[in-house]
Amino acid sequence: MPVTPLHFGPGLALKGAAAPVFSWSAFAVVQVVIDCETIYYLVNREYPVHRFLHSFLGAAVAGLLAAVLFLVVVHVSFIGFPRLIVPLTATSTARGEISVLGVLLGGLVGGLSHPLLDGVMHADVRPFMPWSDYNPFLGLVGLVPLHLACVASAALGGAGVALWKRRSNGRST
């Protein structure tokens, strides 16, 4: 299924571990951007459906480009709608969502994690393209354990984000 929300779980775990310096929003946006490639090829009935953006090289490029566009939208929003953006700077957890470092990390990690996660379950993913067609991740773990790990990482990440928020509510950050 393209644009699986299960991919968001590992990103939320990273947000829970490093909230002030990681943008989960950028991570999630990149997951969707990369899966637009799959949707395009599925709609057009062209196979394979996982192509360049599902390689580490393509995903890194997509991740960085999406992160830069994300930053542009956020910073233009600061200028046009300052009152809407103020809540996004209220805590260190929130600032991580829009900081340059947080967004670039979120975009890059989001991009690079995508071929890994899809590579475990899709035979047409070639993570090392254009240098190799070999996929060493295929079948590394079963589909159910993979999905459970994504859900568990989301739960742990959610708990981590809650702790960051609770901690930052107790003092001015």
Side-chain angles (χ1 to χ4, degrees):
M1 173 174 97
V3 191
T4 176
L6 293 171
H7 283 235
F8 300 164
L12 192 54
L14 289 169
K15 179 66 176 180
V21 294
F22 186 81
S23 174
W24 179 80
S25 300
F27 180 97
V29 164
V30 172
Q31 297 295 325
V32 174
V33 166
I34 290 172
D35 271 338
C36 285
E37 174 187 59
T38 305
I39 293 168
Y40 173 84
Y41 289 116
L42 282 171
V43 166
N44 290 297
R45 296 185 178 159
E46 294 179 31
Y47 299 94
V49 296
H50 298 95
R51 297 190 188 185
F52 181 67
L53 294 184
H54 283 79
S55 69
F56 290 124
L57 178 62
V61 169
L64 290 175
L65 286 175
V68 168
L69 288 173
F70 186 93
L71 284 168
V72 168
V73 168
V74 166
H75 290 277
V76 166
S77 297
F78 263 118
I79 295 165
F81 307 100
R83 288 186 181 176
L84 295 175
I85 301 300
V86 168
L88 292 177
T89 60
T91 66
S92 62
T93 302
R95 281 191 301 274
E97 287 300 306
I98 60 171
S99 73
V100 173
L101 176 62
V103 171
L104 289 175
L105 280 174
L108 187 59
V109 173
L112 293 175
S113 67
H114 200 105
L116 176 65
L117 292 170
D118 272 6
V120 170
M121 59 185 186
H122 297 293
D124 64 339
V125 172
R126 298 176 302 174
F128 299 104
M129 180 176 57
W131 303 284
S132 173
D133 288 340
Y134 179 64
N135 178 358
F137 311 116
L138 185 62
L140 198 60
V141 296
L143 193 57
V144 171
L146 176 66
H147 288 171
L148 288 175
C150 287
V151 169
S153 64
L156 288 172
V161 169
L163 288 172
W164 278 105
K165 285 179 128 184
R166 183 175 174 185
R167 188 171 156 219
S168 65
N169 282 341
R171 63 172 189 251
S172 177
T173 55

